Short mmCIF file of all heavy atoms in Angstrom, two decimals:
data_model
loop_
_atom_site.label_atom_id
_atom_site.label_comp_id
_atom_site.label_asym_id
_atom_site.label_seq_id
_atom_site.Cartn_x
_atom_site.Cartn_y
_atom_site.Cartn_z
N PHE P 150 104.26 230.01 249.30
CA PHE P 150 103.92 231.43 249.48
C PHE P 150 102.44 231.57 249.83
O PHE P 150 102.06 232.27 250.77
CB PHE P 150 104.23 232.22 248.20
CG PHE P 150 103.83 233.67 248.31
CD1 PHE P 150 104.60 234.57 249.01
CD2 PHE P 150 102.64 234.12 247.72
CE1 PHE P 150 104.22 235.90 249.12
CE2 PHE P 150 102.25 235.45 247.83
CZ PHE P 150 103.04 236.35 248.53
N GLN P 151 101.59 230.86 249.06
CA GLN P 151 100.15 230.95 249.32
C GLN P 151 99.80 230.41 250.70
O GLN P 151 98.89 230.91 251.36
CB GLN P 151 99.38 230.19 248.24
CG GLN P 151 99.40 230.92 246.91
CD GLN P 151 98.81 230.09 245.80
OE1 GLN P 151 99.22 228.96 245.59
NE2 GLN P 151 97.83 230.63 245.11
N PHE P 152 100.54 229.39 251.12
CA PHE P 152 100.27 228.80 252.44
C PHE P 152 100.64 229.79 253.55
O PHE P 152 99.89 229.98 254.51
CB PHE P 152 101.04 227.48 252.58
CG PHE P 152 100.58 226.64 253.74
CD1 PHE P 152 99.23 226.39 253.95
CD2 PHE P 152 101.50 226.10 254.62
CE1 PHE P 152 98.81 225.61 255.03
CE2 PHE P 152 101.08 225.33 255.70
CZ PHE P 152 99.73 225.08 255.90
N ILE P 153 101.80 230.44 253.40
CA ILE P 153 102.21 231.43 254.40
C ILE P 153 101.14 232.54 254.48
O ILE P 153 100.75 232.97 255.56
CB ILE P 153 103.61 232.01 254.06
CG1 ILE P 153 104.67 230.91 254.19
CG2 ILE P 153 103.94 233.20 254.97
CD1 ILE P 153 106.07 231.31 253.71
N CYS P 154 100.64 232.95 253.32
CA CYS P 154 99.58 233.98 253.30
C CYS P 154 98.32 233.45 253.97
O CYS P 154 97.68 234.16 254.75
CB CYS P 154 99.27 234.42 251.88
SG CYS P 154 100.61 235.30 251.09
N ALA P 155 97.96 232.19 253.66
CA ALA P 155 96.74 231.60 254.24
C ALA P 155 96.86 231.52 255.76
O ALA P 155 95.86 231.60 256.48
CB ALA P 155 96.49 230.22 253.65
N LEU P 156 98.09 231.38 256.24
CA LEU P 156 98.31 231.32 257.70
C LEU P 156 98.28 232.72 258.32
O LEU P 156 98.44 232.88 259.53
CB LEU P 156 99.66 230.65 258.01
CG LEU P 156 99.73 229.14 257.70
CD1 LEU P 156 101.17 228.64 257.68
CD2 LEU P 156 98.91 228.34 258.71
N GLY P 157 98.12 233.71 257.45
CA GLY P 157 98.01 235.09 257.95
C GLY P 157 99.36 235.76 258.14
O GLY P 157 99.47 236.77 258.83
N ASP P 158 100.39 235.18 257.52
CA ASP P 158 101.74 235.68 257.78
C ASP P 158 102.41 236.34 256.57
O ASP P 158 103.64 236.30 256.45
CB ASP P 158 102.61 234.52 258.30
CG ASP P 158 102.29 234.20 259.75
OD1 ASP P 158 101.84 235.12 260.47
OD2 ASP P 158 102.48 233.04 260.15
N TYR P 159 101.61 236.94 255.69
CA TYR P 159 102.23 237.60 254.53
C TYR P 159 103.29 238.58 254.98
O TYR P 159 104.37 238.69 254.36
CB TYR P 159 101.15 238.31 253.69
CG TYR P 159 101.76 239.27 252.71
CD1 TYR P 159 102.55 238.79 251.66
CD2 TYR P 159 101.59 240.65 252.85
CE1 TYR P 159 103.16 239.67 250.78
CE2 TYR P 159 102.18 241.52 251.97
CZ TYR P 159 102.97 241.04 250.94
OH TYR P 159 103.57 241.91 250.07
N ALA P 160 103.04 239.27 256.09
CA ALA P 160 103.98 240.30 256.56
C ALA P 160 105.34 239.71 256.91
O ALA P 160 106.34 240.43 257.00
CB ALA P 160 103.39 241.02 257.77
N GLU P 161 105.40 238.40 257.11
CA GLU P 161 106.68 237.78 257.47
C GLU P 161 107.50 237.32 256.27
O GLU P 161 108.58 236.75 256.42
CB GLU P 161 106.43 236.60 258.43
CG GLU P 161 105.89 237.15 259.74
CD GLU P 161 105.59 236.09 260.77
OE1 GLU P 161 106.27 235.05 260.78
OE2 GLU P 161 104.65 236.32 261.55
N VAL P 162 106.94 237.54 255.07
CA VAL P 162 107.69 237.15 253.86
C VAL P 162 108.81 238.18 253.65
O VAL P 162 108.58 239.28 253.16
CB VAL P 162 106.76 237.07 252.63
CG1 VAL P 162 107.57 236.76 251.37
CG2 VAL P 162 105.70 236.01 252.85
N ASN P 163 110.01 237.80 254.09
CA ASN P 163 111.14 238.72 254.00
C ASN P 163 111.97 238.44 252.74
O ASN P 163 111.61 237.61 251.91
CB ASN P 163 112.01 238.59 255.27
CG ASN P 163 112.45 237.15 255.48
OD1 ASN P 163 112.45 236.34 254.53
ND2 ASN P 163 112.82 236.80 256.69
N TYR P 164 113.09 239.12 252.64
CA TYR P 164 113.96 239.00 251.46
C TYR P 164 114.38 237.55 251.23
O TYR P 164 114.35 237.06 250.08
CB TYR P 164 115.19 239.89 251.70
CG TYR P 164 116.25 239.77 250.65
CD1 TYR P 164 116.17 240.49 249.46
CD2 TYR P 164 117.35 238.93 250.85
CE1 TYR P 164 117.16 240.37 248.48
CE2 TYR P 164 118.34 238.81 249.88
CZ TYR P 164 118.23 239.52 248.71
OH TYR P 164 119.19 239.40 247.75
N GLN P 165 114.77 236.85 252.30
CA GLN P 165 115.23 235.46 252.15
C GLN P 165 114.11 234.56 251.63
O GLN P 165 114.30 233.79 250.68
CB GLN P 165 115.71 234.89 253.51
CG GLN P 165 117.11 235.29 253.89
CD GLN P 165 117.13 236.62 254.61
OE1 GLN P 165 116.09 237.27 254.79
NE2 GLN P 165 118.31 237.05 255.00
#
Side-chain angles (χ1 to χ4, degrees):
F150 177 78
Q151 287 172 306
F152 194 48
I153 294 173
C154 293
L156 291 165
D158 284 332
Y159 166 66
E161 293 179 31
V162 176
N163 56 20
Y164 174 83
Q165 279 86 358

